Amino acid sequence: MEKINCIIIDDEPLGRDLVESFAKEVSYLNILSIFENPVTALSFLEENPVDLVFSDIEMPKINGLDFLRTLDNPPVFIFITAYREFALDGFDTGATDYLVKPVRFDRFLKAVQKAKNHIDLKRNSTNSQNENDKIFIKSEGKIIKILLSEILYIEAQGDYLNVMTTSEIYSTQMTLTSMEESLLNKKFFRVQRSFILNLDFVRSIHGNMVELLNGKSISVSVNKKEELYRLLGM
């Protein structure tokens, strides 16, 4: 399993120590460095590949929320603070989760797993991205380009399709069969009447259910299972 590189930012020693001890219990977390304030963390972030930041909010010079807003291409953030009232602001900045002190390990683990799902989606999108591998759809009166590497699945709903990407959902008026014909890419597979999946985002298969990296579970038709296993190299 590929490691998730993370840093910890907290002006309180006890807060830093707790997060560090929790993180060391999670096998896929790799602590790169620990900082007392965001200012000293900034240069490190500019020079090193960091996937995940555990950050306090109330800190000297600049708080965690404002720090996140200053970053052009921020890593995934999990805020850890004693002030529950900051939760809404934390999510408004795009943070993945918000933990209130004193933090329990089970709640920490849940937040980390949520962050891991986001990071896995981002890595899969980056690793398979090809600017020439795209489709154009009409949605809300606009022509939109979508990279195939960013599509998790496509769902038929009546006369419309919902195209779920790593960042948002697009609705377009066309049939699933027409979409299937336009996806000349072996990574896409129609698992049943209403769904086409991007196989790069499959997390697991249990019985007739496929779970994707974003947590979505989709059923597979009986007559499609054997071909699905073959495409996945099983």
Side-chain angles (χ1 to χ4, degrees), residues 49-62:
V50 175
D51 303 305
L52 174 61
V53 176
F54 297 100
S55 177
D56 191 11
I57 291 183
E58 283 294 298
M59 292 180 285
K61 297 184 181 178
I62 181 172

Side-chain angles (χ1 to χ4, degrees), residues 4-9 19 30-35 41-42 44-45 48-55 67 75-78:
I4 291 176
N5 292 324
C6 57
I7 64 171
I8 299 166
I9 310 172
V19 175
N30 178 37
I31 304 170
L32 296 179
S33 194
I34 300 174
F35 301 92
L42 182 58
F44 185 89
L45 284 171
N48 297 275
V50 175
D51 303 305
L52 174 61
V53 176
F54 297 100
S55 177
F67 176 61
V76 172
F77 263 68
I78 294 176

Side-chain angles (χ1 to χ4, degrees), residues 70-87:
T70 67
L71 301 177
D72 292 331
N73 187 25
V76 172
F77 263 68
I78 294 176
F79 284 121
I80 303 175
T81 180
Y83 302 96
R84 187 178 298 273
E85 59 269 24
F86 282 125

Side-chain angles (χ1 to χ4, degrees), residues 1 4 28 111-121 203:
M1 180 183 297
I4 291 176
Y28 53 80
V112 166
Q113 187 59 50
K114 186 176 178 182
K116 182 179 182 300
N117 290 341
H118 282 270
I119 293 165
D120 286 344
L121 289 174
R203 176 195 294 281

Side-chain angles (χ1 to χ4, degrees), residues 7 74 129 145 152 166 175 210:
I7 64 171
Q129 183 168 325
K145 180 181 76 173
L152 281 76
T166 54
T175 67
V210 174

